[in-house]
Amino acid sequence: MKYLNQEDFIKSVNTKPVYKEMIDLMAKEVVDFAREFHDDPKSISGWGHHYFCPDDGGRLIFDVHSPHGQKCEICGKVHSTPLFDTVWVYCYRNEAVMTVWKAALVYKYTKDSKYLDIVKKILGFYSDHYLEFELHNKEGKIYKTISEMEWGCGRIMPQGLNESIIIIRLLNALEIVKEEIGKEFLDSVYKNFFSNAVEMLMPQVDKIHNISCWKNSAIGLVGLFYNNKEMIDFVFEGKYSIYNQLKGGVTDNFFWYEGSIHYNYFTLEGMINLLLFSKFYNYDFDKQSEKTIEKMLIAGYNYAFNNHILPNPNDGWPNINLKTYSYVYTVAAKIFGINSEVGNLLKNIEGKDIERGLLPLSRPYYFNNDIPLERLAFLYDVDMKDYKVVITKSENFVRSQYAVLKNNLVNVFLKYGHNGPSHAHPDKMNIEVTVDKYTLTRDLSNAGYGNKFCNEWHRVTASHSTVVANGKNQISMENGETLEFSEDHIKAKVTNVYSIPKNIDINKMRTSMNGDEIIRYCVKNLNMSVEDATNAIKANRDLQSIVDEVVAKSPVIDYIRDIKINNEGFVDQFVVNSNMENTYDYFFHSEATLISKLELIDYDLGYNSNGYQHIKNVKKVNTKNKDINLEFNLGEYKLVANIDLSNIELIICDTYDNPITNIRKTFILRQKANNATFNVVWKIKE
């Protein structure tokens, strides 16, 4: 398998005007960037997750000409801080790397040596100065040697993960021009850059985790490209090899264990580049592992709603859909063939009438937000409109702890459990709902991890459509249980939602969580300070006494949620059982417009933390009726929610969206009791 055939590539571009427009635009972008290219090894790159407006969580706009002032894409405010300046450096270097990749493709079409010279100029700079870049982590802490570094370091980029991403992109560029760029240049880049980067990355491959997959893939691409057996053996035969990542990190339902659809595709992106290069270099990639990757791509398609919007639990990015990740399917179609099942899924995805959801970080390159760079490189001669339409059905992904119910009109997603705390949100029994092409309620995922609203709102239970007890975040990260499942029905149960496991093993946590994730877990669930948690983890301290104390104070609370869909809407019953009296708040966050005229009175929810501090305009519906109909508009549909109000208060309020400049109308059903049942019947009319 070859990256591309130059003659066919040129012919295809010449016969497809849109590809010629893409090449012309890329050529201009490459020349413009290279003309003013300037970087400095003394500049430390900051963590991309900080590049979000502190006022509303909107992404800051990267302007290659403005290193000291970043404008929010939502509110327009310009932020000038040293922290944002370091993230600008990270963005600039990402742009430099994408420029190298684009320049290689433009050279392959034009045969103009100036584009090859741009590849040499930019990559050569980072290679010649690689060891002058400070070894540092995403917090900006600097280390003198690899032996001293703590988890997650990079040199050019803020952490090993980002270093791996740029290495993979650079090797994609070199694979295109390796015959023309010269052995001397390739050897120099290996000696000065890649070999030193691999030395830094190898000790960081230390757990089953999406980041370890990326580091494995970067090391593997270097090893395959330069025929380095030690690197190849490390990636394919080591303790945390790519095969062991696939065996230990992928559930029986073929999803990445961390429970985030973004991290599922993000992990796939890294692994699939390794599989691609194994094909280029005739490396015998394990067939079972290759099949797992293929099935992950198929499972992701089956998981999506009929309108191709992706249910979006846990950490990730908002407003994503299958088209967001079409570039991953494009690489897969190169590997498995455009006439394969995965190739046909790609055509279905690209053919869907839906606007592509964009990723804010490590963003792939798209021409007119339509054609990914990968399509130009790999599928330039493919007719994307010739495909067989694939319709998916209801499915229960038991090992991944979620289910999707589907009919022609209504789709409901239910997350009923966790596979551990890595990248998890405390949102057991959360639902997401679509009606036709519209979203009724969705998971916000989160803004960048460095933004305050990430932890204060997006990662709290109250921002999800589930039940909160006593104004506190759920605690359990354990599995739930399916009680009943059919094409139009899911009934699931989870026990001890507000209790942590009785045994906390820090060493076991290390096998699937990064250090900062473990600290965050201890702070949230064991009421420890960041300093105490950090010291306890460094000392491998026995935390059992703290765990016992927390468990003793925790109420036993079990949830059962029963969802049935039909041709008119869906029925939702949420049952809560406990060994003591609690205050339960059933949240439903609506994307639809509430049109009911209600008698409202001021109301105090009584809590001021765990997200409640951000709930606005809180009003109680003044009614003595035992039920009520709330009417909503959603596109051309009218929705009616019939709510049982027996011993229940109905509260209407405003809650933050993502970004927080948008507001959702939320209704809360409140009941104080040992046991509670919430019944809501949704009917949908055109």
Side-chain angles (χ1 to χ4, degrees), residues 257-258 314 401 415-428 459 461 473-480 494-501 504 509 513 521 524-525:
Y257 77 95
E258 290 173 278
N314 301 312
Q401 295 289 284
K415 173 188 169 183
Y416 52 85
H418 293 82
N419 280 314
S422 183
H423 283 296
H425 289 192
D427 60 346
K428 278 183 168 63
R459 279 175 166 170
T461 307
N473 291 320
Q474 297 173 12
I475 294 176
S476 170
M477 292 294 154
E478 302 301 299
N479 280 184
V494 61
T495 60
N496 292 325
V497 180
Y498 278 83
S499 185
I500 59 177
I504 294 290
M509 280 187 172
M513 297 173 67
Y521 180 85
K524 288 175 64 177
N525 300 321

Side-chain angles (χ1 to χ4, degrees), residues 535-568:
N535 292 335
I537 290 163
K538 284 184 177 180
N540 285 325
R541 179 184 161 197
D542 181 9
L543 301 176
Q544 196 56 51
S545 61
I546 299 174
V547 171
D548 291 342
E549 183 179 340
V550 172
V551 170
K553 294 179 180 178
S554 301
V556 175
I557 300 176
D558 301 339
Y559 288 168
I560 295 176
R561 195 161 197 171
D562 194 332
I563 306 281
K564 296 183 178 75
I565 63 172
N566 54 57
N567 292 329
E568 295 181 340

Side-chain angles (χ1 to χ4, degrees), residues 508-523:
K508 185 177 180 180
M509 280 187 172
R510 290 181 191 276
T511 65
S512 63
M513 297 173 67
N514 297 323
D516 55 345
E517 291 178 305
I518 300 174
I519 291 170
R520 190 166 66 246
Y521 180 85
C522 291
V523 169

